[in-house]
């Protein structure tokens, strides 16, 4: 590892002094900035330039989110078996090439919704390869005692990067047009690949045992998560939250741009203001978890999130409502910013080193699998009952993860758990870590928020 705390001194070193962590953070922050450009620009391009309907917007979202649902488990097994850095770089370069085709096609006056959908599918496949390796690489860069601080710094910086990306996307759209604005995301993929290539932390890819197939290792990952009540609970909360947010996210752009008559520039600025909430929530996570306990803090965040949807649903055209929407999105993203940092740290701490990518892949698989289904449901409901009633239904669905966590013993977790005694399970026999750390009271049915390149949570 490249960083560790000195237990004798009781003083933890600054994370910013570790070259590999800085390179990791810089590359991922650049990637998040670019993704926020695309998150703002692509809906504008589809809705305003290509006149996409609600159903077509839903299909665009569906195709972008389907590859992670299909490939996440395989990507996680590959990341545990091979070089994580190589897998990250490959994903970045493929995404850059796919996205660069959009401004080229627009310049030739050949851009269509079909091409946007194909690009979304390729980006989704490349992105899941990158993300499975990126999230599981972090625990090998820092000492376990620094994981929560690391995730806090990452969450805060990513939120700032997301804000910058949304605002930059709005500016580039105004200056260059939406298609050429996507070149900003192409550049971000190249920066991410370059920074990842410069990480020099020693890696120990786990060679597959002779005769072991990939599906065998995928099965190990599924059993590993299911057999640990903490991983199972957090994964179920992630999946149910992802489903509700995906239903909302599919139609928010259409709702704000058409029903609220928000301009493309205002849309980007509002998303940027909202993303600042995660910049406030993520750095505050360690302090909030230390003061109130990780469980109660996550429970409170899940309870607040549905309430933040109400002002958005009541909004109407006008500058005052645009400010109100930005303020509401700020609070909405502050909650998952804090909760997401904490739950990710818990999962990384309790998971053995050789299972990190597969553990994350199970969560990604379930959360990603929920999103395309939710996108299609959003398109169908939006066409059948209307956009606003569909958003009301999505808001109600945000109560489900709250109930899942409330029924889990994690709701009363007052301290961060300890790392497993065995750092790396054998290739032949994988067992879940024995729950360690403080006893969690109120045992109940153990039942678990999303990691996108842009941020956790969303409008």
């Amino acid at each position: 590892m490249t960083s560790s705390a000195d237990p004798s001194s009781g003083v933890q070193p600054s994370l910013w002094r570790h070259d590999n962590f800085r390179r990791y953070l810089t590359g991922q922050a650049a990637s998040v900035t670019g993704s926020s450009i695309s998150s703002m620009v692509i809906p504008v391009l589809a809705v305003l330039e290509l006149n996409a309907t609600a159903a077509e917007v839903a299909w665009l979202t569906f195709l972008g989110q389907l590859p992670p649902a299909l490939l996440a488990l395989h990507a996680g097994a590959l990341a545990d078996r091979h070089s994580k850095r190589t897998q990250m770089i490959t994903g970045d370069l493929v995404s850059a090439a796919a996205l660069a085709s959009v401004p080229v096609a627009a310049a030739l006056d050949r851009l269509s919704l079909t091409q946007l959908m194909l690009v979304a599918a390729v980006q989704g496949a490349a992105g899941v390869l990158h993300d499975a390796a990126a999230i599981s690489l972090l625990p090998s860069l820092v000492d376990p005692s620094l994981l929560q601080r690391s995730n806090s710094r990452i969450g805060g910086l990513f939120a700032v990067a997301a804000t910058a990306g949304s605002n930059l996307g709005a500016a580039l759209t105004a200056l260059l047009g939406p298609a050429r604005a996507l070149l900003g995301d192409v550049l971000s993929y190249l920066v991410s690949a370059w920074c990842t290539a410069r990480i020099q932390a020693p890696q120990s890819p786990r060679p597959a045992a002779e005769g072991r197939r990939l599906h065998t290792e995928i099965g190990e990952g599924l059993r590993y998560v299911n057999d640990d009540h903490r991983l199972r609970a957090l994964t179920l909360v992630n999946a149910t939250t992802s489903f509700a947010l995906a239903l909302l996210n599919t139609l928010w752009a259409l709702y704000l741009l058409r029903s609220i008559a928000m301009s493309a520039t205002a849309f980007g600025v509002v998303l940027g203001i909202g993303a600042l909430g995660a910049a406030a929530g993520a750095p505050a996570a360690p302090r909030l978890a230390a003061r109130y306990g990780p469980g109660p803090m996550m429970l409170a965040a899940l309870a607040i999130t549905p309430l933040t949807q109400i002002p958005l649903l009541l909004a109407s055209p006008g500058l005052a409502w645009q400010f109100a929407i930005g303020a509401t999105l700020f609070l909405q993203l502050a909650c998952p910013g804090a909760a997401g940092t904490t739950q990710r740290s818990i999962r990384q701490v309790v998971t053995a080193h050789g299972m990190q990518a597969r553990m994350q892949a199970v969560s990604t698989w379930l959360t990603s699998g929920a999103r395309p289904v939710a996108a299609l449901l959003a398109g169908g409901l939006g066409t059948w009952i209307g956009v606003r009633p569909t958003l009301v239904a999505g808001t109600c669905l945000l109560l489900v993860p709250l109930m899942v966590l409330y029924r889990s013993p994690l709701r009363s977790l007052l301290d961060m758990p300890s790392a497993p005694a065995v750092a790396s399970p054998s290739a032949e026999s994988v067992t879940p870590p024995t729950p360690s750390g403080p006893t969690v009271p109120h045992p109940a049915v153990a039942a678990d928020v999303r990691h996108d390149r842009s941020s956790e949570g969303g409008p």
Side-chain angles (χ1 to χ4, degrees):
M1 292 183 183
T2 61
S3 67
S4 61
D6 184 358
S8 62
S9 65
V11 177
Q12 294 181 324
S14 170
L15 289 166
W16 307 116
R17 296 185 178 182
H18 297 287
D19 291 340
N20 290 322
F21 179 75
R22 281 205 315 274
R23 291 164 184 160
Y24 173 90
L25 196 60
T26 302
Q28 298 308 296
S31 183
V32 168
T33 302
S35 290
S36 294
I37 294 175
S38 290
S39 296
M40 180 266 156
V41 170
I42 288 179
V44 172
L45 189 60
V47 174
L48 300 184
E49 297 289 327
L50 299 176
N51 299 312
T53 64
E56 288 170 335
V57 169
W59 273 106
L60 179 62
T61 304
F62 171 79
L63 291 173
Q65 294 173 346
L66 183 61
L70 298 177
L71 302 175
L73 294 176
H74 298 80
L78 288 172
D80 274 337
R81 183 186 279 193
H82 303 296
S83 167
K84 293 178 173 61
R85 288 190 303 152
T86 300
Q87 188 163 315
M88 291 166 64
I89 294 170
T90 301
D92 281 334
L93 295 180
V94 171
S95 292
L99 199 61
S101 70
V102 175
V104 172
L108 298 174
D109 199 24
R110 300 289 298 274
L111 183 63
S112 66
L113 274 171
T114 300
Q115 180 178 348
L116 275 187
M117 291 177 182
L118 289 174
V119 169
V122 172
Q123 268 195 293
V128 74
L129 286 173
H130 175 279
D131 291 347
I135 300 174
S136 58
L137 178 64
L138 179 63
S140 69
L141 299 181
V142 299
D143 188 89
S145 64
L146 299 176
L147 269 177
Q148 190 176 22
R149 287 177 56 204
S150 300
N151 280 314
S152 174
R153 303 294 190 277
I154 289 170
L157 184 59
F158 281 13
V160 173
T163 303
S166 294
N167 292 325
L168 181 58
L172 290 175
T173 298
L175 291 173
L176 305 175
R180 282 180 288 184
L182 292 176
L183 291 173
D185 197 9
V186 174
L187 178 61
S188 79
Y189 281 118
L190 299 179
V191 172
S192 176
W194 180 72
C195 291
T196 302
R198 296 183 66 233
I199 294 176
Q200 298 175 354
Q203 295 190 70
S204 301
R206 180 180 51 80
E210 187 69 27
R212 284 169 58 83
R213 297 182 178 178
L214 201 62
H215 75 265
T216 301
E217 300 186 0
I218 290 173
E220 288 176 350
L222 289 167
R223 289 191 296 273
Y224 188 86
V225 170
N226 183 66
D227 290 344
D228 185 278
H229 76 84
R230 300 160 300 185
L231 296 176
R232 183 171 66 245
L234 293 174
T235 299
L236 287 174
V237 168
N238 283 348
T240 52
T241 301
S242 178
F243 184 88
L245 289 176
L247 191 148
L248 293 168
N249 290 345
T250 299
L251 297 179
W252 272 127
L254 192 68
Y255 175 70
L256 294 177
L257 290 169
R258 285 191 179 164
S259 300
I260 309 300
M262 190 177 289
S263 69
T265 300
F267 179 64
V269 172
V270 164
L271 291 185
I273 293 173
L276 286 175
R287 294 192 301 275
L288 292 173
R291 181 170 182 178
Y292 301 106
M297 186 268 282
M298 291 189 293
L299 195 67
L302 288 175
I304 293 172
T305 301
L307 299 178
T308 64
Q309 301 289 333
I310 296 176
L312 295 171
L313 295 170
L314 297 177
S316 59
L319 184 61
W321 274 112
Q322 291 178 6
F323 282 112
I325 290 171
T328 300
L329 291 180
F330 179 93
L331 179 60
Q332 184 183 111
L333 287 177
C335 291
T341 294
T342 302
Q343 64 87 10
R344 190 182 310 114
S345 299
I346 292 173
R347 290 190 292 118
Q348 289 172 337
V349 166
V350 303
T351 300
H353 178 68
M355 296 297 297
Q356 285 285 341
R358 280 175 286 175
M359 174 278 294
Q360 177 59 39
V362 172
S363 178
T364 301
W365 174 58
L366 288 176
T367 55
S368 298
R371 290 171 191 163
V373 175
L376 288 182
L377 180 61
L381 289 177
T383 302
W384 180 37
I385 64 175
V387 173
R388 193 187 296 260
T390 302
L391 295 175
V392 172
T395 299
C396 294
L397 287 175
L398 283 172
L399 297 174
V400 176
L402 173 64
M403 297 307 300
V404 171
L405 186 60
Y406 181 78
R407 288 173 55 86
S408 164
L410 280 176
R411 68 176 184 176
S412 302
L413 182 67
L414 299 180
D415 295 288
M416 291 294 290
S418 303
V422 180
S424 179
S426 69
E428 297 299 325
S429 177
V430 179
T431 56
T434 301
S436 54
T439 301
V440 181
H442 309 299
V445 178
D448 199 286
V449 226
R450 78 178 217 200
H451 177 80
D452 285 339
R453 293 173 70 224
S454 55
S455 65
E456 300 225 8

